[in-house]
Amino acid sequence: MPATSTSTNPLVSDRFVDFLLFEVLDLEGLLALPDFAEHTRETVGIYLGTARRLARELLFPAYKPMDEAPPRLEKGRVSVHRAMHDIYPRLVELGVLSATRPPEAYGQRLPLTVATLATSYLMAANLSAYGYLGLTTGAARLLESFGSDELKERFMGPLYRGEWTGTMALTEPQAGSSLSDVETRATPAEGGHYLIKGSKIFISGGDHDLTENIVHLTLARIDGAPPGIKGVSLFAIPKLRSERGALVPNDVEVAGVIHKIGWRGLPSLALNFGEAGDCHGYLVGEPHRGISYMFQMMNEARLMVGMNGAATASVAFHESLEYAKTRPQGRKLGDKDPRAPQIPIIEHADVRRMLLRQKAITWGSLALLGLTARLSDLAEHAQEEPSRARAAMLLDLLTPIAKSFPAERGFEANALAVQVLGGYGYTSEYLPEAWLRDQKLNSIHEGTTGIQSLDLLGRKVTAAGGAAFCALLEEIAATCDGARDAGVTPDLVQRVEGAAMAMRQVTLHLGALGAQGDVRGMLLHSADYLDLASTMVIGWTWLRLAATAQKSHAARPQDHDFYEGITSAAQYWIRTELPRVGYLAQLCRSGEDSYARVRPEWF
């Protein structure tokens, strides 16, 4: 049986990450901002290099064992794979939990742009292993932003130091993604806490034996709260609470383990709060503002899921690329001599098509997530208020795309990796099938693709009179001008300009429907609009990469193959995918209503 060596899989291309950081995203400009004054290219290199090494030497070898032996529930406690007991402290030591936070929040104040791309290696190596830390950071960030000084002392410090882990406990069995329907109750009690009673489901990392305690950032309703979104509050609920200097059980029980097809190293649980009437919860921020607070964590988590999608596609792409280079099969077209040696399958044009499509999806996704990370850095750290506001506006608009495109198209890329391996790809002896299973979750959690489409078209595009959308069009136009000046093939620039015009026209049309009160007509094809916008944004991204490659090529002739690869992938996406923008725009304007008018009984 032919085989590839998984130990040689780079997970993510070092050269491409360096290209993004130092040639595309202007890391030097970020490091010149006062808040990042302590960092240099050397300190960035140390962090990035350590992340790469841990990913390749520690996390990746543990991926398959963790996939084959998921966490177990025994006597009410969850035990995780023994490899996690080695991995978790090493990642804490690296500083993953608080890398981007200021010193007062136990951090290094590293640019998120750097931390995000470093994290891509950890996710590509073992996304379940990283999941424990990503969730913990999100929980600590909520407390940092909205918690009282007392709550920060009690919970935020141990979370950022890695002594405890955190979760986001939102979903309930009867509510699903409809958070306005949560029913978990919070009753005020003496001592400044609330007594919590209710159930949550699909809580990732909700119990384990890695740390002594877990803090659940939980949505619940205070007794007497108004119905709907406006009555939901946010609470910190520890698994163990402090009493007289000791940690004691806080009436948080594991009701069951969810058996998943992927992400099998990170437990997903059903939790019961307050079965014995003694679960203490601590209000975060003001009453009835839980949803607005939680959106900070959810938006950060959506970008984290987007990177999970890009990273999972990346590791599979590299695996299938190596397989294609080393797997002999068949002969060149026209070679009829059966005695001629077989050729590696990468010599077959259709295999190269599948590899180039994977690359276009994967690298386009990584570049988009690098861009959103840079926008986040500017939104928080740029010196001028207009720059901060513009970055925040663009980040908000691009978040649904950066979450859903790597998940949806990443699944396609993962399926292509299986296809490249052929029959071997359909076996569990090879890893692409496991990554395919992992990838599917990314279009479901942190808001399904349908929810992202409603958010994009129903909220983000129309916000502030379409200001963010106009800013995006300005960015696209500037990239087109720069690409033309850099000498990019004029046809590619014109195609991006034409697709941007089609997106502008259909957006104006749909926005007018909404303004006239026809919300149903506006949102009827929201999923198609998200597909359109995503295809357009990735086309814009690839044009930007091609322009940078064109400018860098002359100065770095030794990197000829790398830059030609960038140009080829840009050409592929712009010429083969951007034409879909016109078709999707027409569909969004058509009012085609088959699935809107079909009745349940017709199925």
Side-chain angles (χ1 to χ4, degrees), residues 10-242:
L11 311 176
V12 179
S13 166
D14 291 352
R15 181 64 186 89
F16 184 62
V17 168
D18 290 345
F19 173 68
L20 289 178
L21 284 173
F22 301 111
E23 297 174 61
V24 178
L25 298 174
D26 186 23
L27 179 63
E28 300 288 355
L30 282 178
L31 295 180
L33 295 174
D35 284 348
F36 301 129
E38 295 181 6
H39 288 287
T40 64
R41 187 163 179 158
E42 287 69 32
T43 63
V44 165
I46 291 170
Y47 185 86
L48 192 59
T50 305
R52 287 167 169 165
R53 186 172 63 256
L54 285 177
R56 290 165 179 159
E57 297 177 4
L58 183 64
L59 274 71
F60 191 39
Y63 171 77
K64 188 172 178 61
M66 287 175 61
D67 180 69
E68 293 176 337
R72 306 181 312 278
L73 176 62
E74 298 173 338
K75 298 180 180 179
R77 289 294 311 275
V78 173
S79 299
V80 303
H81 197 282
R82 61 182 180 275
M84 273 306 305
H85 292 270
D86 296 325
I87 292 170
Y88 182 78
R90 296 288 298 279
L91 293 179
V92 171
E93 180 183 358
L94 173 61
V96 168
L97 288 166
S98 58
T100 65
R101 307 316 306 147
E104 58 268 25
Y106 306 92
Q108 309 171 40
R109 212 192 291 271
L110 194 71
L112 182 65
T113 306
V114 175
T116 293
L117 290 170
T119 295
S120 71
Y121 291 87
L122 307 176
M123 292 176 172
N126 195 325
L127 77 174
S128 293
Y130 175 79
Y132 295 91
L133 292 99
L135 288 164
T136 300
T137 296
R141 280 277 289 125
L142 271 180
L143 292 163
E144 180 187 349
S145 297
F146 307 113
S148 64
D149 290 342
E150 194 274 333
L151 284 185
K152 290 178 184 178
E153 178 66 25
R154 184 185 299 187
F155 297 125
M156 186 192 78
L159 290 172
Y160 272 146
R161 293 193 297 267
E163 297 161 6
W164 300 348
T165 64
T167 77
M168 51 193 301
L170 284 64
T171 307
E172 296 179 6
Q174 84 292 339
S177 298
S178 181
L179 299 181
S180 62
D181 293 316
V182 299
E183 295 178 353
T184 298
R185 309 301 305 181
T187 302
E190 294 182 5
H193 64 271
Y194 290 74
L195 291 177
I196 309 295
K197 187 172 182 58
S199 299
K200 299 289 181 177
I201 197 168
F202 301 127
I203 309 306
S204 296
D207 195 67
H208 55 72
D209 55 355
L210 291 174
T211 60
E212 66 174 346
N213 206 3
I214 303 168
V215 182
H216 307 287
L217 273 293
T218 306
L219 294 180
R221 294 183 181 281
I222 297 172
D223 291 345
I229 290 290
K230 295 180 179 179
V232 179
S233 299
L234 179 64
F235 295 87
I237 304 175
K239 175 183 176 180
L240 304 174
R241 67 176 187 260
S242 178

Side-chain angles (χ1 to χ4, degrees), residues 248-294:
V248 301
N250 191 35
D251 197 10
V252 178
E253 301 295 335
V254 179
V257 174
I258 311 299
H259 300 286
K260 303 177 291 181
I261 64 170
W263 284 73
R264 289 162 61 85
L266 178 67
S268 181
L269 308 175
L271 297 178
N272 288 338
F273 298 120
E275 285 189 316
D278 193 32
C279 178
H280 293 200
Y282 305 89
L283 182 66
V284 178
E286 299 177 14
H288 317 317
R289 296 193 59 191
I291 294 296
S292 64
Y293 298 153
M294 188 57 80

Side-chain angles (χ1 to χ4, degrees), residues 389-409:
R390 183 180 177 88
M393 189 168 56
L394 284 167
L395 175 64
D396 204 36
L397 177 68
L398 291 173
T399 292
I401 296 171
K403 189 273 184 187
S404 57
F405 178 88
E408 292 286 359
R409 291 304 189 96

Side-chain angles (χ1 to χ4, degrees), residues 303-326:
L303 294 173
M304 181 173 70
V305 169
M307 184 53 86
N308 275 321
T312 302
S314 178
V315 66
F317 162 60
H318 286 290
E319 192 80 0
S320 64
L321 176 61
E322 180 64 20
Y323 184 91
K325 289 178 177 178
T326 57

Side-chain angles (χ1 to χ4, degrees), residues 324-344:
K325 289 178 177 178
T326 57
R327 166 62 159 142
Q329 184 174 303
R331 292 163 182 84
K332 293 183 179 180
L333 289 176
D335 189 345
K336 299 180 180 180
D337 183 358
R339 294 168 297 181
Q342 291 188 319
I343 59 174

